[in-house]
Amino acid sequence: MNLPNKLTVVRLIIIPFFLLLMVIPLGWGEISFLGATVPVAQFWATILFITATITDNLDGRIARRDHLVTNFGKFADPLADKLLVMTAFIVLTASGSVPAWVTSIIIWRELSVTGLRLLIVEQNGEVMAAKMPGKIKTTTQFIAIIFLLLNNALFAIWHIPFGEIMLYLCLFFTVYSGADYFIKSKDIFSDGFK
């Protein structure tokens, strides 16, 4: 278990703690900063979410820099991202911050691409590494989630719904990157159309 893989495992461990902070009514009060007011538990959940996104960035950089790319990392890293993102979007939908149809599309894409990755592993024996559109999708999702969790802190001063803007930008890249994966992997389905 090298360092990048340990960071991925840490990200997986963070997810249930993030969820608990978001759904259990802890009654810790609220915190106001940068034009926004956020429940304290949600603020700490956001800190955990940001920590998880930092580990996502670090594990990939370290793995590439130190030549520690493994099949476990290629599999578990995107899986941890998907679990983190899906958990956050489900919680944000339950709180009314994200429309259910947006969360449904995001989850549908994430599960579809995961299925495609598994099919490619079975056929080619290799794990499909993340492509640039998928990396942009992940980044925009992380930014949208952070600002939605923080009720548009900083941008709330100017009444700019930055979290919502990023939500629809990440929705675009979610759909685009999913389509890109399937179009570039269309040959894997050729046996079903003979």
Side-chain angles (χ1 to χ4, degrees):
M1 181 71 60
N2 61 36
L3 179 58
N5 291 344
K6 288 177 182 175
L7 289 171
T8 299
V9 171
V10 166
R11 192 156 69 260
L12 288 166
I13 292 168
I14 285 173
I15 295 168
F17 292 101
F18 165 80
L19 179 62
L20 290 173
L21 284 170
M22 288 298 296
V23 301
I24 294 176
L26 296 170
W28 291 350
E30 295 181 328
I31 182 173
S32 294
F33 67 103
L34 299 174
T37 300
V38 180
V40 172
Q42 186 168 317
F43 174 80
W44 285 111
T46 307
I47 297 299
L48 280 180
F49 186 87
I50 292 169
T51 301
T53 64
I54 290 169
T55 67
D56 175 51
N57 188 286
L58 281 176
D59 63 12
R61 286 177 189 258
I62 294 168
R64 287 185 294 277
R65 184 194 69 202
D66 298 342
H67 307 289
L68 297 172
V69 176
T70 63
N71 277 340
F72 174 82
K74 284 194 260 183
F75 170 77
D77 178 59
L79 178 65
D81 295 343
K82 290 178 194 321
L83 291 173
L84 180 65
V85 164
M86 288 191 292
T87 300
F89 276 119
I90 290 168
V91 168
L92 287 166
T93 298
S95 72
S97 299
V98 174
W101 67 270
V102 172
T103 297
S104 296
I105 290 171
I106 289 170
I107 291 173
W108 179 83
R109 182 271 186 207
E110 300 296 4
L111 294 176
S112 298
V113 170
T114 298
L116 177 63
R117 285 173 178 269
L118 293 173
L119 192 58
I120 290 171
V121 167
E122 183 180 313
Q123 183 169 344
N124 300 339
E126 289 184 4
V127 177
M128 181 173 69
K131 304 283 190 265
M132 186 52 67
K135 292 178 181 181
I136 295 170
K137 177 267 311 176
T138 300
T139 301
T140 56
Q141 285 178 343
F142 285 163
I143 293 169
I145 290 166
I146 289 166
F147 281 93
L148 289 168
L149 287 169
L150 293 177
N151 294 332
N152 289 310
L154 182 60
F155 293 94
I157 296 169
W158 301 287
H159 307 289
I160 298 171
F162 184 73
E164 290 80 2
I165 292 167
M166 289 305 300
L167 173 66
Y168 291 103
L169 184 62
C170 87
L171 179 64
F172 169 79
F173 280 108
T174 297
V175 172
Y176 174 80
S177 63
D180 182 62
Y181 277 122
F182 276 91
I183 289 167
K184 289 180 177 171
S185 304
K186 66 183 182 296
D187 293 343
I188 202 162
F189 299 109
S190 61
D191 64 339
F193 297 98
K194 289 180 180 177

